[in-house]
């Protein structure tokens, strides 16, 4: 078992998109708000650097068999993000690039047999190491939008968008919080609820990930309030 080749390709493309978006921002523009409430672009970039290193921890766990959590605690994670967000802009940019490089090296260097090793996410879920590239994939694509530099869900590939919606519904199912909807986008369908909701795939993905209010969706009644995704 290894990480799916398709997922690895999505992840690499997402990192490139994120890097391109970051490269278009001036140092001064990093101080502006992101699309995440309460977070500047600096906080978002600090989170992405911390997340890459946290996933390196999981791959280290898989490779060595020594328990290596993503973060010592959620409080430590938050402190790490807010500390890194204060770095001078060139240092913050370098931190993102360096952490991404460490993750890429950890993925390339993971032995074949280690991909099946069980590790634990920050939410306490046991997963095989093969899921780690997808965990990073969803971060870079969605946060490329959150960076508010001109990337929109309409810029994401359809297969990535569909995989994101799949992920949201899996998360909801684990928490017993699947909304009472049957959601349609083209020939794709999610949920078996009583409220039919349909729309373009980018709008569907934006809505279920909490990045849209469903303005482009059509429904048989009022759209429900959705549970958080991550």
């Amino acid at each position: 078992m290894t990480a799916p080749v398709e997922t690895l390709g999505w992840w690499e493309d997402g990192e490139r998109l994120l890097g391109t978006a970051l490269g278009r921002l001036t140092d001064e523009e990093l101080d502006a708000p992101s699309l995440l409430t309460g977070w500047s672009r600096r906080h978002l970039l600090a989170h992405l650097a911390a997340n890459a290193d946290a996933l390196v921890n999981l791959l280290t766990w898989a490779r060595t068999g020594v328990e290596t959590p993503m973060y010592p605690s959620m409080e430590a994670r938050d402190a790490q993000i807010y500390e890194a967000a204060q770095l001078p802009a060139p240092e913050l940019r370098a931190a993102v690039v360096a952490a991404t490089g460490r993750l890429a090296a950890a993925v390339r260097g993971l032995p074949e047999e280690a991909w099946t090793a069980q590790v634990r996410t920050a939410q306490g879920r046991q997963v095989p190491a093969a899921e780690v590239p997808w965990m990073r994939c969803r971060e870079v694509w969605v946060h490329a939008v959150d960076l508010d530099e001109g990337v929109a869900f309409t810029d994401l590939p359809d297969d990535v968008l569909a995989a994101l919606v799949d992920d949201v519904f899996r998360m909801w199912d684990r928490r017993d919080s699947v909304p009472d909807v049957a959601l349609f986008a083209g020939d794709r369908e999610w949920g078996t609820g009583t409220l039919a909701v349909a729309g373009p795939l980018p709008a569907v993905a934006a809505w279920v990930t909490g990045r849209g209010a469903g303005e482009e969706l059509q429904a048989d009644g009022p759209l429900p309030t959705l549970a958080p995704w991550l």
Side-chain angles (χ1 to χ4, degrees), residues 14-30 41 45 48 89-90 92-94 96-97 143-144 147-151:
E15 295 281 11
R16 281 191 288 269
L17 177 67
L18 182 68
T20 299
L22 176 57
R24 291 195 292 258
L25 292 169
T26 67
D27 289 351
E28 292 73 19
E29 288 171 334
L30 297 185
R41 286 167 169 156
L45 293 172
L48 284 163
L92 179 56
R93 293 177 188 273
V96 175
V97 172
H143 287 325
L147 197 59
D148 195 21
E149 196 286 320
V151 177

Side-chain angles (χ1 to χ4, degrees), residues 54-90:
L55 295 177
V56 170
N57 287 344
L58 293 189
L59 294 182
T60 300
W61 182 347
R63 178 172 52 82
T64 65
V66 177
E67 182 173 343
T68 314
M70 291 182 68
Y71 307 99
S73 67
M74 295 311 292
E75 293 78 13
R77 167 193 175 271
D78 293 344
Q80 180 182 3
I81 290 170
Y82 279 90
E83 180 178 347
Q86 310 310 312
L87 290 171

Side-chain angles (χ1 to χ4, degrees), residues 166-228:
D166 289 342
D167 191 84
V168 173
F169 271 82
R170 283 194 299 269
M171 293 290 191
W172 283 340
D173 186 59
R174 292 184 189 111
R175 300 171 188 153
D176 196 25
S177 59
V178 177
D180 185 26
V181 299
L183 187 56
F184 302 91
D187 60 354
R188 296 177 170 91
E189 178 179 352
W190 296 268
T192 58
T194 59
L195 178 67
V197 182
L201 184 55
V204 166
W207 182 53
V208 299
T209 58
R211 270 73 180 177
E215 298 92 342
E216 297 180 61
L217 304 180
Q218 294 79 47
D220 293 339
L223 292 175
T225 299
L226 301 177

